Amino acid sequence: MNVRQRRKEAFRREALRRLRRIPKGRARMEDHRRLRELRSRLTSRSLKRVLLYLPLPLEVDLRPLIHELRSRGVAVYVPFMEGKSFRPVKYRLPLQKKRFGIYEPKNSRQYRPRKIDVAIVPIVGTDPTLRRIGFGQGFYDRFFEKEKRNIETILFVQRRLCYSPIVLTEAHDVRADGIIAGPMIRLLPED
């Protein structure tokens, strides 16, 4: 493991520790604020297909947005884990709890989108390059490596922005077109 990877891992650990310390009531307030910001960004656009995620406890809860978009006739897709990556499948019930505690719809190949207008991606943190620091498994990196040309806009979302002023990410890490996050937590990675 090189110096950058060690720093990135230390940053990830500290960011996750800080995010876990946000009280549940405060987390719900932050989620409402992030949803309001997302709605204002998305309502000005003519959307047909959106990639969202089903949240883990540390992530902004997008479920109200999923229901709103579907009621407007927008096709909503969520990740379906396959090996070390995922593919987008149409959101539908029932959901099943799978690996890493992530909920997914049942597997369906018939709903694979060709183009996605907006992908909303959870992050653990970022750096000056606006690239994603996630949980360290690389699922989003592998997906976007193959599908970036089919996605118009990538928005990162987080309750509090965990930010490193030192570049920790690499060229393969997903880059955002915008970030919607709460107050910044500036973290200096350890050497």
Side-chain angles (χ1 to χ4, degrees):
M1 188 180 285
N2 65 35
V3 172
R4 182 181 290 193
Q5 290 169 330
R6 280 197 306 275
R7 285 180 170 176
K8 186 177 184 181
E9 188 54 41
F11 173 89
R12 179 182 291 118
R13 275 193 311 273
E14 180 60 20
L16 288 170
R17 187 182 72 75
R18 299 261 186 118
L19 293 170
R20 284 185 184 104
R21 289 181 27 202
I22 300 172
K24 286 184 182 184
R26 174 55 99 186
R28 279 192 299 276
M29 285 176 36
E30 295 288 343
D31 289 0
H32 288 295
R33 288 181 179 138
R34 301 303 80 77
L35 286 170
R36 200 169 36 243
E37 293 172 55
L38 276 167
R39 283 182 193 108
S40 71
R41 287 237 191 148
L42 298 179
T43 54
S44 63
R45 300 177 63 148
S46 174
L47 299 174
K48 292 182 182 163
R49 290 169 295 279
V50 176
L51 175 67
L52 299 172
Y53 62 88
L54 295 166
L56 293 171
L58 293 176
E59 298 170 338
V60 174
D61 187 352
L62 300 181
R63 289 175 295 186
L65 183 61
I66 290 172
H67 300 296
E68 291 168 26
L69 290 171
R70 291 180 76 209
S71 70
R72 288 179 22 201
V74 176
V76 174
Y77 296 86
V78 294
F80 183 86
M81 300 299 165
E82 286 187 324
K84 293 186 176 191
S85 186
F86 70 83
R87 65 182 167 80
V89 297
K90 205 163 203 179
Y91 174 85
R92 64 188 194 291
L93 300 174
L95 300 174
Q96 298 174 322
K97 193 172 190 176
K98 299 292 233 11
R99 272 194 307 175
F100 309 113
I102 297 170
Y103 284 88
E104 299 176 346
K106 288 187 177 179
N107 187 2
S108 176
R109 295 195 182 275
Q110 65 190 8
Y111 295 116
R112 185 168 176 83
R114 291 194 179 135
K115 292 279 186 189
I116 293 173
D117 300 314
V118 177
I120 299 173
V121 179
I123 62 173
V124 170
T126 191
D127 64 17
T129 67
L130 294 184
R131 293 187 186 276
R132 179 178 187 266
I133 298 171
F135 285 93
Q137 300 298 316
F139 289 101
Y140 279 93
D141 297 328
R142 289 182 198 95
F143 170 75
F144 281 100
E145 183 181 337
K146 292 186 302 186
E147 299 294 331
K148 174 70 171 116
R149 69 188 176 284
N150 297 321
I151 300 169
E152 186 178 317
T153 304
I154 300 170
L155 295 175
F156 289 165
V157 65
Q158 187 180 41
R159 286 185 182 131
R160 305 265 173 92
L161 181 60
C162 295
Y163 177 80
S164 167
I166 299 167
V167 175
L168 301 175
T169 56
E170 300 167 77
H172 69 267
D173 291 314
V174 181
R175 184 187 304 260
D177 296 306
I179 297 178
I180 296 173
M184 184 189 299
I185 301 172
R186 187 179 162 117
L187 299 174
L188 291 169
E190 303 166 0
D191 283 331

